[in-house]
Amino acid sequence: MPLTPSETTRLLGELGHHPKKKLGQNFLIDGNIVEKSMEMADLPTGIPVVEIGPGLGTLTRKLLEKGHEVHAVEIDKTLFENLRISLKNYTENKQLTLTQGDAVKLPLASLRQAQEDYAVVANLPYAISSAWLESLLATERLPFRMVLMLQREAIDRMWAQCGTKSYSALSIFLHAAFRHDKSHSVSRRCFHPVPSVDSVLARMDLLSDPFLFPAPDRALIRRIFTQRRKQIGSIARQEDDSKRSEILNWLVDNELEPTLRPEQIEPETWTGLVDRCGN
Ligand code: SAM
């Protein structure tokens, strides 16, 4: 069971810790949501799990009780120290590896990249949700499943459909690699302190044939989307000779008008740009 609101307040008091808004420190206090996270994750026994921002260890404990090997990365020194002491039994038997650091720099915590299948279960801090996903995509060793607690606005932005204002380079990369097939609304009252917006628990499964955009193409598409309101033909003209002709040829091959804006081009069409660029 997670800590109740009063137990959370007492523990934070004992640690002399005031939740930091800029680190998204809104701790889960609802047992049903912890159970729902596990149910949605539906993980095979023993599969390694990466957790971003374990905080007071609510999800961490549940994952450990279920027998998973957990790799967790927490940036906050006080919270990290508390976990190190309170979960000592699990770190000693190596079921839990705790790392103090920034998940954007360590997107897989202590998990080695070469490892077989792994999953991610996390109540993601709002400020790094997009940056962490970008770093994860750059590892090119993607989890077979993720169950992420995200603010509603963040998930709407990530999974934005083509033609909408929120459609972005990150939505293209995610659509190419994952399927977002389950979500569950979570009231802001399930957290302490209560945040100003509601959240969503989202499950994303790796596609059977995920498409991973190579780093130079991710950079190109990100660059293109910084000018999302311009026409793709005029954006192409700002690139060097070789990139310009690759983009223009890609438009011709896909029967796309150069007057289109980047946000009007479907995710799967962008994968053709990679083939064009010969990566
Ligand atoms: N998992 C806990 C829970 O569900 O109650 C806490 C979740 S809280 C929304 C986010 C946690 O991420 C906090 O513990 C915060 O300190 C941590 N955090 C914030 N930024 C981070 C970063 N860049 N790298 C690692 N952890 C981070």
Side-chain angles (χ1 to χ4, degrees):
M1 282 294 284
L3 300 173
T4 61
S6 56
E7 286 167 339
T8 303
T9 315
R10 194 171 62 235
L11 175 58
L12 291 170
E14 281 166 18
L15 298 172
H17 187 78
H18 300 284
K20 296 176 185 136
K21 206 172 172 187
K22 75 174 190 330
L23 293 181
Q25 290 180 349
N26 303 99
F27 305 104
L28 204 43
I29 50 166
D30 186 315
N32 293 328
I33 299 301
V34 176
E35 288 303 332
K36 187 73 193 173
S37 311
M38 297 302 137
E39 188 193 306
M40 278 174 73
D42 189 23
L43 297 176
T45 319
I47 194 101
V49 179
V50 169
E51 189 191 359
I52 305 305
L56 296 170
T58 300
L59 284 172
T60 327
R61 279 189 185 83
K62 197 71 192 176
L63 289 164
L64 292 166
E65 283 165 17
K66 289 205 169 275
H68 295 292
E69 175 191 310
V70 179
H71 299 260
V73 53
E74 171 59 60
I75 202 165
D76 188 293
K77 192 158 192 301
T78 307
L79 299 181
F80 170 82
E81 280 302 321
N82 173 57
L83 290 170
R84 198 176 59 77
I85 295 163
S86 59
L87 297 175
K88 195 163 170 255
N89 291 350
Y90 292 105
T91 52
E92 278 178 355
N93 72 12
K94 308 249 184 285
Q95 196 188 334
L96 170 65
T97 309
L98 283 171
T99 307
Q100 197 211 330
D102 181 354
V104 177
K105 294 187 185 134
L106 299 166
L108 301 184
S110 53
L111 193 75
R112 281 177 296 111
Q113 279 207 30
Q115 191 132 6
E116 287 301 285
D117 276 354
Y118 71 97
V120 179
V121 177
N123 176 5
L124 276 184
Y126 175 71
I128 64 156
S129 51
S130 296
W132 172 75
L133 275 167
E134 289 273 6
S135 301
L136 181 78
L137 289 162
T139 65
E140 296 176 3
R141 179 75 197 89
L142 299 181
F144 86 98
R145 181 165 300 153
M146 299 194 277
V147 172
L148 304 177
M149 179 81 75
L150 291 154
Q151 292 198 346
R152 183 169 288 286
E153 178 216 315
I155 186 93
D156 289 349
R157 204 177 53 237
M158 283 166 197
W159 284 95
Q161 298 299 315
C162 173
T164 63
K165 270 194 190 140
S166 304
Y167 185 55
S168 65
L170 180 57
S171 2
I172 291 169
F173 308 149
L174 284 175
H175 276 288
F178 291 97
R179 187 178 58 243
H180 170 212
D181 54 1
K182 283 186 191 172
S183 59
H184 178 81
S185 298
V186 179
S187 156
R188 66 193 76 181
R189 289 189 302 279
C190 297
F191 303 94
H192 174 86
V194 179
S196 54
V197 290
D198 292 327
S199 291
V200 171
L201 205 47
R203 170 165 144 178
M204 303 173 198
D205 283 357
L206 192 65
L207 295 173
S208 53
D209 54 348
F211 185 89
L212 275 173
F213 286 84
D217 301 284
R218 288 201 306 277
L220 173 64
I221 297 171
R222 260 190 244 111
R223 201 158 65 236
I224 290 174
F225 268 82
T226 59
Q227 306 175 75
R228 52 186 305 129
R229 305 202 61 79
K230 283 197 183 162
Q231 297 178 354
I232 186 81
S234 58
I235 297 174
R237 280 193 285 282
Q238 294 166 22
E239 293 288 331
D240 62 26
D241 288 352
S242 93
K243 279 273 176 296
R244 179 170 52 244
S245 60
E246 281 157 5
I247 297 173
L248 295 176
N249 289 337
W250 167 68
L251 293 176
V252 172
D253 286 358
N254 288 277
E255 298 177 9
L256 299 170
E257 292 296 331
T259 50
L260 282 175
R261 299 199 177 104
E263 63 193 20
Q264 294 173 295
I265 301 174
E266 295 285 347
E268 54 277 15
T269 309
W270 290 97
T271 59
L273 182 60
V274 175
D275 298 336
R276 265 269 158 223
C277 292
N279 285 292

